[in-house]
Amino acid sequence: MFRALADVLRQIGAAVATVVTLPFRALARLFGGAAHSTRRTGRARRV
């Protein structure tokens, strides 16, 4: 019984962690993509 309860709590914790980290992942993609695109334009200007 304790094992089942621990599994449920683990799944809830994983779901909460996913929901909490989603905005940060989105921001990281946004800024990572922006930084990557500026690098591309910077290379194009140098050439």
Side-chain angles (χ1 to χ4, degrees):
M1 180 175 168
F2 287 115
R3 214 177 258 180
L5 184 62
D7 287 339
V8 170
L9 290 175
R10 196 174 298 124
Q11 288 177 352
I12 292 171
V16 169
T18 302
V19 170
V20 168
T21 57
L22 271 175
F24 296 106
R25 289 181 188 180
L27 284 173
R29 269 191 200 166
L30 181 68
F31 287 116
H36 192 60
S37 65
T38 56
R39 284 186 205 145
R40 282 185 189 168
T41 57
R43 287 180 189 162
R45 288 180 191 157
R46 289 180 194 155
V47 173

